[in-house]
Amino acid sequence: MNEKERAQIQALLQGLNSEVSIYSADGRRIYPEGGLELYPSIMQQISKDCVQIGKLLYKRSLSRFSYILCCSYTGEHSFDVLLLLDKILQAMASDSELIHTPNDVYSQILSVSDISNLQIKELAAEHEIPLEKPFQLLHISFKDENVNAYSTVSELYPSDTEDKLISLSLKTLSIIHYMDEDSPFETSEFADALYETIQEESGKAFLIGVSEPKKNLYELRRAYAEAKKAIAIHEKLESGEHVIFYGNLILERILLELNPAQRQGFYNRLFTPESKKALTEEMQNTINTFLEKDLNLSDTARHLFIHRNTLVYRLEKIQRTLGLDLKKFSDASIYKILSTMQKLTKTDKE
């Protein structure tokens, strides 16, 4: 929404005894200007009808692009205020070519839960957006509150590409990265290089979640959900990776199908209070490194700066404590599965 549009809305709403806010489809406040964002839990409740949440009234606009309207609930007239504002936005959209760019279209597809394939097809045709073109979605989430994700990334992003950057919130954005069908590992290499570039230039902490490959724009919402889920799972497990591929999280996704009580029950069969007490930080670090090095004794010992015999002694001590010989793939797999269960269950309780 540009300055002219803000001025028009302000002039039209003068005299109304109600403070009004307008949010973009992804929850960013665009009128009046400010850094406020809507919580996802609130956005999920908002529909095309007026919905009261706490002391505020919300409505999703029926205008060409899906704004979210909000005002304080002070009585029945508050419903009329939102309906009036919706009509104003509809009229503005039909009377002028505002700032409805392809970026707005992608944001609308991602934010409107009930958008149909026919609507997506019509939007793609109207704005000459590729419909049948394979892609993977990269979702970038910054941890720093004082960052503009879109500005930070767009300044560093390669210019010789057809990729689409979608501004979602101050801290997040998504990228439709069109795939190179002749190079199956291209997206992995590209995402790693992009992370290194942004991190080096911005110095900010962030994560990149990557969806599985998709065939067309109809799958954009699924790709977005996968990329966000990859980051969410990563944050539960606290791994050291910064680029997380949803397709590589098969074990974690399977375990998340179990409810927390089931996961905790399996974990408790092996990890008793006594065994957990015996697993010192040094022993846990040894186990994690041994698993990361694919059960290779020499590589693990070298990484830990210890003698190979010292490592063997530690693994034997772990075997006496847990009853698992981690040098065997089957026992190492059991430990990996149960420890992952515990991490997922622990965060469920927080």
Side-chain angles (χ1 to χ4, degrees), residues 213-320:
K214 302 303 176 188
K215 296 180 179 179
N216 51 53
L217 194 62
Y218 301 128
E219 298 183 275
L220 179 60
R221 286 180 58 82
R222 181 188 295 179
Y224 178 59
E226 291 177 357
K228 289 183 64 179
K229 186 69 172 180
I231 292 178
I233 292 175
H234 165 88
E235 291 177 336
K236 284 176 177 285
L237 301 178
E238 298 180 345
S239 67
E241 297 179 353
H242 298 99
V243 179
I244 310 99
F245 283 77
Y246 184 75
N248 294 341
L249 299 172
I250 296 176
L251 172 61
E252 292 81 0
R253 287 154 54 190
I254 291 173
L255 296 180
L256 282 171
E257 293 297 317
L258 301 173
N259 64 51
Q262 289 175 313
R263 294 199 296 268
Q264 189 66 53
F266 282 117
Y267 179 83
N268 289 339
R269 293 182 186 182
L270 179 65
F271 295 91
T272 64
E274 293 76 17
S275 66
K276 285 190 287 186
K277 186 176 181 180
L279 285 175
T280 63
E281 183 176 344
E282 180 184 74
M283 292 175 68
Q284 291 180 25
N285 184 44
T286 299
I287 294 172
N288 292 335
T289 304
F290 189 52
L291 295 179
E292 290 172 3
K293 297 300 179 181
D294 297 323
L295 314 187
N296 187 298
L297 290 169
S298 298
D299 283 353
T300 304
R302 191 179 303 111
H303 186 83
L304 294 173
F305 301 102
I306 60 176
H307 194 276
R308 192 174 189 275
N309 291 342
T310 303
L311 174 60
V312 172
Y313 170 77
R314 289 185 186 179
L315 293 176
E316 290 175 347
K317 185 176 180 181
I318 291 168
Q319 183 177 358
R320 291 193 297 271

Side-chain angles (χ1 to χ4, degrees), residues 155-212:
E155 291 177 0
L156 302 171
Y157 206 79
S159 58
D160 57 343
T161 174
E162 296 183 85
D163 293 356
K164 304 300 180 183
L165 277 62
I166 310 169
S167 178
L168 298 172
S169 70
L170 287 175
K171 297 196 302 178
T172 65
L173 82 155
S174 287
I175 300 170
I176 297 178
H177 178 61
Y178 292 112
M179 297 168 53
D180 184 351
E181 298 181 21
D182 297 327
S183 179
F185 302 106
E186 187 273 339
T187 300
S188 177
E189 296 170 353
F190 176 83
D192 287 338
L194 179 64
Y195 174 83
E196 292 179 6
T197 299
I198 298 173
Q199 204 285 322
E200 181 178 343
E201 294 295 330
S202 71
K204 302 293 185 180
F206 64 97
L207 297 171
I208 302 178
V210 185
S211 75
E212 293 193 282

